[in-house]
Amino acid sequence: MRIELRYGKAKYISFIILDVLCLLLANVLASWLYLNHTETGGYTYTQYSPVVLIMVVIDILVTALLNTLCRVLRRGTQREIKEGIKHISVSFVLLAVVLFFLRAGAAYSRVTVFLAYTFYFLFFVGSHIVWKRVLQSLRKRPERKTAILMTTDRFVDEGIDQLEKLHIDVKNIWLLKNLDIKTIKDIDVVGTYEEAASVICWKMLDKVYIYGLDHHMVPGYLLKACREMRLKFNLVDFNYRIIEIKTIENKDPAMGALSFLEGKRDIPFPIRRVYWITKTEAERRRGFHAHKLNCQLLFCPYGVIDIILDDGQKRTTVTLDRPGKGLLLMPGLWREMVWKQSDSVLCVLASEYYEAKEYIRDYDEFIEYNSRYRDLADPLKESAAPETVPAESVSRETVSVS
Ligand code: TYD
């Protein structure tokens, strides 16, 4: 409830008020039906009104304690009915207990209470469904779309800039593995899955963007939340990017050239590892793997190396044939390297420490890994979202970044 109030205060309170109104209406209807049309032995509205007051208090308590409005904006009719049954049966039992302790049960009409709760159940389910629609249609449709950005700490600044270029207003950021950062550029960072799901629900955002993060790293929990809110995932990223490495040629060609790369200026991730491959003979092939999380910058300071990239659908070859050409690779790409000239040197700057688990070394596994989300690209598809890693509901919205 704390999270719901944090991200959707007005909407959440509007549902509580709506429930109270429905409860009052149900009581009016029930007592009108029973008291007006039945022989009640002198039993009056005035006698009944304290019961209604107790009902309202119990109703608010049940909402708070059982969090029966949790996910209200994204739950379907079936779930709404289940929550309605839970909410009303618990309220009913509590009311019975309270009336028992007040020793006042006999003085009030049990029939009226029964009738009131029956009407309340119908109003509860019906009004939630209608109010959800009203809130959706009341949403202002600003020029700029609002979004939550899902990314890693390495790409967060770049991701915000890219969305800015697409005229998307980033309202919240979800950072993989980083629970300590509270805000970035005045944008709230949501730490837990639960909070992120709550943002997706209560803030009624227009879009969900994944940037610089393999979509498989987004937990199923969040995918489910997006699907329930009819939101599609958008990958605003690039699979790879060829970058120009600054190179200073000496006036005297015999003195050679100097190339350099500078941390944040040239590389959009902190460098956690540097390695290089030497002494490889011509036409030898290496690689044959994909990474789940590792971003890399490859360059070849000496020789010629073909880098074959495969995104599971098509293959591209990038030839590294001069020291000034760099290749930035995102996770989720299968790569093979072919040495076109013996003793060519391949240098790699990596965003992650070496971790064997982070590699996919089997091509079929890679295809399976990548196709899992393509098959399920439709967020309206009703298959159950797994609670862990594999992603679905993804559409790729690639922006070219130069
Ligand atoms: P591998 O990734 O198989 O090389 P390539 O894909 O270029 O053919 O790495 C060869 C071996 O080196 C393998 O046993 C893992 C090990 N290794 C490390 O221990 N640390 C590293 O940073 C890298 C890149 C590899």
Side-chain angles (χ1 to χ4, degrees), residues 67-83:
N67 205 10
T68 47
L69 285 176
C70 157
R71 296 169 157 202
V72 65
L73 285 176
R74 55 190 174 99
R75 61 198 189 200
T77 310
Q78 230 177 343
R79 180 85 199 256
E80 198 61 70
I81 293 171
K82 268 192 214 159
E83 287 296 333

PDB file of all heavy atoms in Angstrom, residues 67-83:
ATOM      1  N   ASN A  67      -4.394  -5.138   1.286  1.00  0.00           N
ATOM      2  CA  ASN A  67      -3.991  -4.479   0.038  1.00  0.00           C
ATOM      3  C   ASN A  67      -4.840  -4.967  -1.149  1.00  0.00           C
ATOM      4  O   ASN A  67      -4.316  -5.365  -2.194  1.00  0.00           O
ATOM      5  CB  ASN A  67      -2.500  -4.720  -0.223  1.00  0.00           C
ATOM      6  CG  ASN A  67      -1.913  -3.629  -1.098  1.00  0.00           C
ATOM      7  OD1 ASN A  67      -2.571  -2.618  -1.355  1.00  0.00           O
ATOM      8  ND2 ASN A  67      -0.702  -3.825  -1.566  1.00  0.00           N
ATOM      9  N   THR A  68      -6.136  -4.933  -0.966  1.00  0.00           N
ATOM     10  CA  THR A  68      -7.018  -5.490  -2.000  1.00  0.00           C
ATOM     11  C   THR A  68      -7.124  -4.591  -3.233  1.00  0.00           C
ATOM     12  O   THR A  68      -7.771  -4.957  -4.210  1.00  0.00           O
ATOM     13  CB  THR A  68      -8.440  -5.757  -1.432  1.00  0.00           C
ATOM     14  OG1 THR A  68      -8.842  -4.603  -0.705  1.00  0.00           O
ATOM     15  CG2 THR A  68      -8.473  -6.969  -0.546  1.00  0.00           C
ATOM     16  N   LEU A  69      -6.488  -3.413  -3.158  1.00  0.00           N
ATOM     17  CA  LEU A  69      -6.477  -2.573  -4.364  1.00  0.00           C
ATOM     18  C   LEU A  69      -5.154  -2.709  -5.123  1.00  0.00           C
ATOM     19  O   LEU A  69      -4.941  -2.039  -6.121  1.00  0.00           O
ATOM     20  CB  LEU A  69      -6.692  -1.103  -3.988  1.00  0.00           C
ATOM     21  CG  LEU A  69      -8.121  -0.733  -3.620  1.00  0.00           C
ATOM     22  CD1 LEU A  69      -8.180   0.725  -3.182  1.00  0.00           C
ATOM     23  CD2 LEU A  69      -9.066  -0.951  -4.781  1.00  0.00           C
ATOM     24  N   CYS A  70      -4.318  -3.600  -4.624  1.00  0.00           N
ATOM     25  CA  CYS A  70      -3.021  -3.816  -5.279  1.00  0.00           C
ATOM     26  C   CYS A  70      -3.261  -4.245  -6.723  1.00  0.00           C
ATOM     27  O   CYS A  70      -4.150  -5.050  -7.000  1.00  0.00           O
ATOM     28  CB  CYS A  70      -2.288  -4.879  -4.473  1.00  0.00           C
ATOM     29  SG  CYS A  70      -1.049  -5.775  -5.341  1.00  0.00           S
ATOM     30  N   ARG A  71      -2.530  -3.688  -7.653  1.00  0.00           N
ATOM     31  CA  ARG A  71      -2.635  -4.013  -9.089  1.00  0.00           C
ATOM     32  C   ARG A  71      -4.010  -3.723  -9.672  1.00  0.00           C
ATOM     33  O   ARG A  71      -4.355  -4.269 -10.720  1.00  0.00           O
ATOM     34  CB  ARG A  71      -2.389  -5.492  -9.345  1.00  0.00           C
ATOM     35  CG  ARG A  71      -1.025  -5.978  -9.025  1.00  0.00           C
ATOM     36  CD  ARG A  71      -1.058  -7.465  -9.076  1.00  0.00           C
ATOM     37  NE  ARG A  71       0.266  -7.995  -9.323  1.00  0.00           N
ATOM     38  CZ  ARG A  71       0.494  -9.186  -9.822  1.00  0.00           C
ATOM     39  NH1 ARG A  71      -0.505  -9.956 -10.152  1.00  0.00           N
ATOM     40  NH2 ARG A  71       1.704  -9.615 -10.003  1.00  0.00           N
ATOM     41  N   VAL A  72      -4.823  -2.913  -8.978  1.00  0.00           N
ATOM     42  CA  VAL A  72      -6.206  -2.756  -9.446  1.00  0.00           C
ATOM     43  C   VAL A  72      -6.256  -2.252 -10.895  1.00  0.00           C
ATOM     44  O   VAL A  72      -7.129  -2.656 -11.665  1.00  0.00           O
ATOM     45  CB  VAL A  72      -7.023  -1.853  -8.481  1.00  0.00           C
ATOM     46  CG1 VAL A  72      -6.506  -0.443  -8.439  1.00  0.00           C
ATOM     47  CG2 VAL A  72      -8.491  -1.847  -8.846  1.00  0.00           C
ATOM     48  N   LEU A  73      -5.278  -1.418 -11.263  1.00  0.00           N
ATOM     49  CA  LEU A  73      -5.319  -0.867 -12.619  1.00  0.00           C
ATOM     50  C   LEU A  73      -4.939  -1.894 -13.671  1.00  0.00           C
ATOM     51  O   LEU A  73      -5.205  -1.714 -14.849  1.00  0.00           O
ATOM     52  CB  LEU A  73      -4.375   0.337 -12.726  1.00  0.00           C
ATOM     53  CG  LEU A  73      -4.871   1.617 -12.070  1.00  0.00           C
ATOM     54  CD1 LEU A  73      -3.816   2.691 -12.146  1.00  0.00           C
ATOM     55  CD2 LEU A  73      -6.138   2.114 -12.743  1.00  0.00           C
ATOM     56  N   ARG A  74      -4.232  -2.927 -13.239  1.00  0.00           N
ATOM     57  CA  ARG A  74      -3.787  -3.859 -14.260  1.00  0.00           C
ATOM     58  C   ARG A  74      -4.393  -5.253 -14.135  1.00  0.00           C
ATOM     59  O   ARG A  74      -4.031  -6.150 -14.867  1.00  0.00           O
ATOM     60  CB  ARG A  74      -2.257  -3.914 -14.324  1.00  0.00           C
ATOM     61  CG  ARG A  74      -1.538  -4.222 -13.045  1.00  0.00           C
ATOM     62  CD  ARG A  74      -0.037  -3.994 -13.256  1.00  0.00           C
ATOM     63  NE  ARG A  74       0.741  -4.138 -12.055  1.00  0.00           N
ATOM     64  CZ  ARG A  74       1.423  -5.233 -11.737  1.00  0.00           C
ATOM     65  NH1 ARG A  74       1.390  -6.266 -12.522  1.00  0.00           N
ATOM     66  NH2 ARG A  74       2.133  -5.265 -10.639  1.00  0.00           N
ATOM     67  N   ARG A  75      -5.327  -5.404 -13.180  1.00  0.00           N
ATOM     68  CA  ARG A  75      -5.875  -6.748 -13.069  1.00  0.00           C
ATOM     69  C   ARG A  75      -7.107  -6.912 -13.961  1.00  0.00           C
ATOM     70  O   ARG A  75      -7.871  -5.972 -14.181  1.00  0.00           O
ATOM     71  CB  ARG A  75      -6.175  -7.121 -11.621  1.00  0.00           C
ATOM     72  CG  ARG A  75      -7.180  -6.247 -10.907  1.00  0.00           C
ATOM     73  CD  ARG A  75      -7.075  -6.432  -9.402  1.00  0.00           C
ATOM     74  NE  ARG A  75      -8.154  -5.786  -8.688  1.00  0.00           N
ATOM     75  CZ  ARG A  75      -8.108  -5.473  -7.411  1.00  0.00           C
ATOM     76  NH1 ARG A  75      -7.037  -5.747  -6.692  1.00  0.00           N
ATOM     77  NH2 ARG A  75      -9.135  -4.887  -6.824  1.00  0.00           N
ATOM     78  N   GLY A  76      -7.295  -8.114 -14.440  1.00  0.00           N
ATOM     79  CA  GLY A  76      -8.436  -8.401 -15.320  1.00  0.00           C
ATOM     80  C   GLY A  76      -9.684  -8.693 -14.503  1.00  0.00           C
ATOM     81  O   GLY A  76      -9.654  -8.679 -13.269  1.00  0.00           O
ATOM     82  N   THR A  77     -10.792  -8.988 -15.196  1.00  0.00           N
ATOM     83  CA  THR A  77     -12.077  -9.180 -14.509  1.00  0.00           C
ATOM     84  C   THR A  77     -12.024 -10.347 -13.528  1.00  0.00           C
ATOM     85  O   THR A  77     -12.534 -10.251 -12.401  1.00  0.00           O
ATOM     86  CB  THR A  77     -13.178  -9.428 -15.561  1.00  0.00           C
ATOM     87  OG1 THR A  77     -13.073  -8.402 -16.536  1.00  0.00           O
ATOM     88  CG2 THR A  77     -14.558  -9.403 -14.958  1.00  0.00           C
ATOM     89  N   GLN A  78     -11.365 -11.424 -13.955  1.00  0.00           N
ATOM     90  CA  GLN A  78     -11.296 -12.612 -13.097  1.00  0.00           C
ATOM     91  C   GLN A  78     -10.631 -12.281 -11.763  1.00  0.00           C
ATOM     92  O   GLN A  78     -11.121 -12.618 -10.692  1.00  0.00           O
ATOM     93  CB  GLN A  78     -10.468 -13.664 -13.815  1.00  0.00           C
ATOM     94  CG  GLN A  78     -11.152 -15.000 -13.861  1.00  0.00           C
ATOM     95  CD  GLN A  78     -10.295 -15.976 -14.643  1.00  0.00           C
ATOM     96  OE1 GLN A  78      -9.383 -15.596 -15.381  1.00  0.00           O
ATOM     97  NE2 GLN A  78     -10.591 -17.231 -14.482  1.00  0.00           N
ATOM     98  N   ARG A  79      -9.497 -11.597 -11.871  1.00  0.00           N
ATOM     99  CA  ARG A  79      -8.741 -11.206 -10.668  1.00  0.00           C
ATOM    100  C   ARG A  79      -9.555 -10.220  -9.822  1.00  0.00           C
ATOM    101  O   ARG A  79      -9.553 -10.260  -8.603  1.00  0.00           O
ATOM    102  CB  ARG A  79      -7.426 -10.589 -11.128  1.00  0.00           C
ATOM    103  CG  ARG A  79      -6.501 -10.112 -10.058  1.00  0.00           C
ATOM    104  CD  ARG A  79      -5.634 -11.238  -9.523  1.00  0.00           C
ATOM    105  NE  ARG A  79      -5.091 -10.856  -8.227  1.00  0.00           N
ATOM    106  CZ  ARG A  79      -3.850 -10.468  -8.040  1.00  0.00           C
ATOM    107  NH1 ARG A  79      -3.022 -10.496  -9.043  1.00  0.00           N
ATOM    108  NH2 ARG A  79      -3.433 -10.095  -6.852  1.00  0.00           N
ATOM    109  N   GLU A  80     -10.308  -9.367 -10.508  1.00  0.00           N
ATOM    110  CA  GLU A  80     -11.159  -8.385  -9.825  1.00  0.00           C
ATOM    111  C   GLU A  80     -12.209  -9.116  -8.995  1.00  0.00           C
ATOM    112  O   GLU A  80     -12.469  -8.749  -7.835  1.00  0.00           O
ATOM    113  CB  GLU A  80     -11.818  -7.507 -10.895  1.00  0.00           C
ATOM    114  CG  GLU A  80     -12.372  -6.203 -10.423  1.00  0.00           C
ATOM    115  CD  GLU A  80     -11.310  -5.295  -9.824  1.00  0.00           C
ATOM    116  OE1 GLU A  80     -10.455  -4.794 -10.572  1.00  0.00           O
ATOM    117  OE2 GLU A  80     -11.364  -5.120  -8.602  1.00  0.00           O
ATOM    118  N   ILE A  81     -12.798 -10.147  -9.579  1.00  0.00           N
ATOM    119  CA  ILE A  81     -13.820 -10.918  -8.856  1.00  0.00           C
ATOM    120  C   ILE A  81     -13.193 -11.602  -7.644  1.00  0.00           C
ATOM    121  O   ILE A  81     -13.737 -11.575  -6.539  1.00  0.00           O
ATOM    122  CB  ILE A  81     -14.493 -11.940  -9.806  1.00  0.00           C
ATOM    123  CG1 ILE A  81     -15.306 -11.179 -10.867  1.00  0.00           C
ATOM    124  CG2 ILE A  81     -15.380 -12.924  -9.050  1.00  0.00           C
ATOM    125  CD1 ILE A  81     -15.854 -12.021 -11.985  1.00  0.00           C
ATOM    126  N   LYS A  82     -12.005 -12.185  -7.848  1.00  0.00           N
ATOM    127  CA  LYS A  82     -11.320 -12.873  -6.740  1.00  0.00           C
ATOM    128  C   LYS A  82     -11.046 -11.902  -5.600  1.00  0.00           C
ATOM    129  O   LYS A  82     -11.288 -12.199  -4.437  1.00  0.00           O
ATOM    130  CB  LYS A  82      -9.985 -13.442  -7.242  1.00  0.00           C
ATOM    131  CG  LYS A  82     -10.082 -14.857  -7.729  1.00  0.00           C
ATOM    132  CD  LYS A  82      -8.680 -15.413  -7.928  1.00  0.00           C
ATOM    133  CE  LYS A  82      -8.680 -16.375  -9.106  1.00  0.00           C
ATOM    134  NZ  LYS A  82      -7.361 -16.580  -9.685  1.00  0.00           N
ATOM    135  N   GLU A  83     -10.510 -10.719  -5.957  1.00  0.00           N
ATOM    136  CA  GLU A  83     -10.204  -9.722  -4.926  1.00  0.00           C
ATOM    137  C   GLU A  83     -11.486  -9.263  -4.246  1.00  0.00           C
ATOM    138  O   GLU A  83     -11.509  -9.013  -3.044  1.00  0.00           O
ATOM    139  CB  GLU A  83      -9.471  -8.512  -5.525  1.00  0.00           C
ATOM    140  CG  GLU A  83      -8.038  -8.776  -5.920  1.00  0.00           C
ATOM    141  CD  GLU A  83      -7.114  -9.122  -4.756  1.00  0.00           C
ATOM    142  OE1 GLU A  83      -7.386  -8.705  -3.622  1.00  0.00           O
ATOM    143  OE2 GLU A  83      -6.127  -9.840  -5.006  1.00  0.00           O
TER     144      GLU A  83
END
